[in-house]
Amino acid sequence: MALRIAFRIGILTALAVLPSHAEWIKLTTSHFEMYTTNTRAKAVEALATLEQARAFFDDNSPSQTTTDEPIRIIAFGSEKEFRPYSPNPGAIAYYRRTHGRDYIVMRDLGPGSYAVAIHEYTHLYLEHRNLHVPLWLNEGLADVYSTLQLEGAQIVIGLAPPGRLLSLRTLPVLNLQTLFAVNQESPYYRDSNLMRQFYSESWALAHMLLLGKSYREDFRLFLKAVDQGEDSEESFREVYGKTIPGVAADLRNYLSPGEMTVSSFETQMDPRDVPEMTDSTAEEVDIVLADLLSTHRQTAEEAEARLNGLAAQSNNPDVQTSLGYLAWQQGKSAEAKAHFRAALQQGSADPLMMVQYAALLNASGGSMAETMQLLERAIELKPDLYDARFALGMEAATQGQCDIALSALAPIKTISSERAFPLYYALTYCNLRIGHAAEARHWMQLAKQYAENSQQMTQMEYLLNQSNRASK
């Protein structure tokens, strides 16, 4: 991929002596942390590319697209290193979301790896938008975005990934009904030969939907339809008035020379997001690799054995945190709480773990005082951890502790649509409780915009009456 980013100038020329592939190095930006056995130069280039992709997605997203925790990238240096951590024989990279963090895992940082990284980041973006789309569309969109390139101040979207057009011309056409039926257990998703058909057809159809002149205007409606559970065939008929044979005919025409569309978008990236080398220990890398094993059901037992071995050797609180997340993933809430408690006793200062531990305590009827104390400590450690602020604010408002609720909720700058009504309702309620009628009316107007049902509207009417009484 020929992506060039202006702020890289001067970075690569200043690099120190490169480590051997046997050494693990760690680099970080504001949004990513990378562990890799590749050279520092390759790691810097890959992280710069991902920061550019992240900036594009954030600029074109109606809401926050990722978590407060940096995304962890593990980039191996070879097929041999990657294979024990691979989900299937055909994979060259993958994305995983766990309770603790997001992972993008790559076989290497060789030629074409930047496109692979952006492909996986697209999966992450869709996941954090809570979009439930069929596999063909998820993979197809990831392929469309994977070739984004920077040209001046613009991002160019829609170039063909290497081999996709050739595969479409030389392989048998994949029937659209067959394409729509592919799932993660299908041979089309696991067999390397059949995967070429699936990915090529998925890319072409997603490209037409996203960028094609006859489809792009209504693509958001199509996305909404499949997200709400309609199957692909029904969504095409409802949104575009198209039968599957009609869509197939449009796709054949779209793939004709000169018909495919490439688009460009303005984007800005924070020049401070330059990858930096940070210190890491052999124990830290061991924990990271064990955490990665814990994301696969078939290797969870090995992950637990590794982590227990590390726990026997040291009192590193990160080991207990990892064991806590592993137990949680396996549905062992009591064990998870015990490990999180041990991590705190060993001196953990991990604010995200504290938020997760507080959620577990709350779900199991634990001490409210302990839950709120954990959330307050998490905010103290990371003031912009909005998950902690939201959880603390909601709990404090429920308990009538409005000073705490307002202190926690008011600084929140980004909020998902599903959290908007409860947030604004709590701010309205608490401002009324302490006699700030003008502020209450401000938040009330916002809450009314996000009310989704009659019950929520009734709640707002009640608060409105309260506000009117307060203002007399």
Side-chain angles (χ1 to χ4, degrees), residues 33-294:
E33 63 177 28
M34 174 183 281
Y35 293 86
T36 183
T37 55
N38 286 271
T39 65
R40 183 179 175 188
K42 287 183 177 180
V44 166
E45 192 82 1
L47 279 176
T49 300
L50 277 167
E51 280 291 354
Q52 186 67 59
R54 182 208 55 78
F56 165 76
F57 281 114
D58 279 0
D59 288 347
N60 291 278
S61 173
S63 61
Q64 184 183 18
T65 58
T66 58
T67 63
D68 296 296
E69 193 73 5
I71 297 159
R72 177 172 288 172
I73 303 167
I74 300 178
F76 293 98
S78 68
E79 167 70 21
K80 182 179 179 181
E81 291 179 4
F82 173 71
R83 189 53 48 205
Y85 302 88
S86 173
N88 63 69
I92 59 174
Y94 59 92
Y95 160 63
R96 278 283 189 276
R97 186 179 187 180
T98 68
H99 288 304
R101 66 174 66 247
D102 293 281
Y103 289 83
I104 293 176
V105 186
M106 304 170 65
R107 182 183 64 190
D108 56 49
L109 292 179
S113 63
Y114 301 156
V116 172
I118 297 171
H119 178 109
E120 299 306 326
Y121 187 80
T122 305
H123 292 317
L124 183 152
Y125 167 79
L126 294 172
E127 179 86 6
H128 281 282
R129 288 284 309 279
N130 291 317
L131 289 172
H132 304 92
V133 300
L135 188 60
W136 70 266
L137 185 56
N138 201 321
E139 295 294 351
L141 288 173
D143 253 8
V144 173
Y145 286 121
S146 72
T147 58
L148 67 81
Q149 291 192 23
L150 186 69
E151 292 187 2
Q154 293 188 318
I155 288 285
V156 176
I157 302 294
L159 300 173
R164 291 292 184 249
L165 287 174
L166 179 62
S167 294
L168 288 168
R169 291 170 184 148
T170 58
L171 295 174
V173 175
L174 186 60
N175 179 280
L176 289 186
Q177 278 95 346
T178 301
L179 180 75
F180 297 159
V182 173
N183 58 36
Q184 292 185 332
E185 301 305 317
S186 168
Y188 283 98
Y189 196 67
R190 303 183 70 85
D191 182 282
S192 57
N193 293 321
L194 295 176
M195 284 171 69
R196 290 175 59 205
Q197 285 180 270
F198 169 73
Y199 274 92
S200 297
E201 196 92 7
S202 296
W203 165 76
L205 186 54
H207 197 293
M208 184 176 75
L209 286 170
L210 185 67
L211 300 174
K213 288 182 289 186
S214 300
Y215 284 83
R216 64 191 178 203
E217 293 298 325
D218 291 323
F219 176 62
R220 287 185 182 272
L221 294 177
F222 181 85
L223 201 60
K224 183 178 180 180
V226 294
D227 178 48
Q228 292 177 342
E230 293 186 9
D231 64 37
S232 299
E233 184 171 356
E234 183 180 354
S235 297
F236 274 111
R237 185 167 52 250
E238 177 184 301
V239 176
Y240 297 107
K242 296 278 188 177
T243 63
I244 294 306
V247 174
D250 288 346
L251 184 58
R252 287 194 296 272
N253 291 333
Y254 186 68
L255 293 173
S256 302
E259 291 297 316
M260 298 192 74
T261 305
V262 174
S263 295
S264 59
F265 301 83
E266 297 287 341
T267 194
Q268 296 289 330
M269 188 175 68
D270 190 336
R272 293 172 297 179
D273 286 328
V274 177
E276 296 182 355
M277 195 85 162
T278 60
D279 293 332
S280 63
T281 65
E283 183 183 41
E284 179 181 348
V285 172
D286 287 341
I287 296 171
V288 166
L289 293 177
D291 285 345
L292 181 55
L293 285 173
S294 73

Side-chain angles (χ1 to χ4, degrees), residues 215-393:
Y215 284 83
R216 64 191 178 203
E217 293 298 325
D218 291 323
F219 176 62
R220 287 185 182 272
L221 294 177
F222 181 85
L223 201 60
K224 183 178 180 180
V226 294
D227 178 48
Q228 292 177 342
E230 293 186 9
D231 64 37
S232 299
E233 184 171 356
E234 183 180 354
S235 297
F236 274 111
R237 185 167 52 250
E238 177 184 301
V239 176
Y240 297 107
K242 296 278 188 177
T243 63
I244 294 306
V247 174
D250 288 346
L251 184 58
R252 287 194 296 272
N253 291 333
Y254 186 68
L255 293 173
S256 302
E259 291 297 316
M260 298 192 74
T261 305
V262 174
S263 295
S264 59
F265 301 83
E266 297 287 341
T267 194
Q268 296 289 330
M269 188 175 68
D270 190 336
R272 293 172 297 179
D273 286 328
V274 177
E276 296 182 355
M277 195 85 162
T278 60
D279 293 332
S280 63
T281 65
E283 183 183 41
E284 179 181 348
V285 172
D286 287 341
I287 296 171
V288 166
L289 293 177
D291 285 345
L292 181 55
L293 285 173
S294 73
T295 68
H296 306 292
R297 188 167 46 190
Q298 64 270 30
T299 54
E301 187 175 339
E302 181 183 350
E304 186 172 9
R306 288 196 191 186
L307 290 169
N308 282 327
L310 290 167
Q313 297 171 15
S314 74
N315 288 324
N316 187 332
D318 291 342
V319 178
Q320 292 297 332
T321 298
S322 293
L323 283 165
Y325 283 127
L326 177 56
W328 194 3
Q329 288 166 208
Q330 295 171 331
K332 303 173 183 177
S333 298
E335 287 186 24
K337 288 186 291 185
H339 286 301
F340 289 150
R341 190 178 304 112
L344 290 171
Q345 291 170 348
Q346 292 177 358
S348 175
D350 182 343
L352 182 62
M353 181 273 287
M354 295 174 189
V355 175
Q356 306 281 32
Y357 182 26
L360 274 175
L361 286 174
N362 192 39
S364 61
S367 164
M368 196 55 60
E370 184 180 4
T371 298
M372 294 180 68
Q373 186 179 29
L374 280 167
L375 294 170
E376 289 172 336
R377 175 59 175 154
I379 294 170
E380 180 184 337
L381 289 166
K382 191 172 183 180
D384 61 351
L385 185 54
Y386 295 151
D387 281 349
R389 287 190 172 278
F390 181 81
L392 177 61

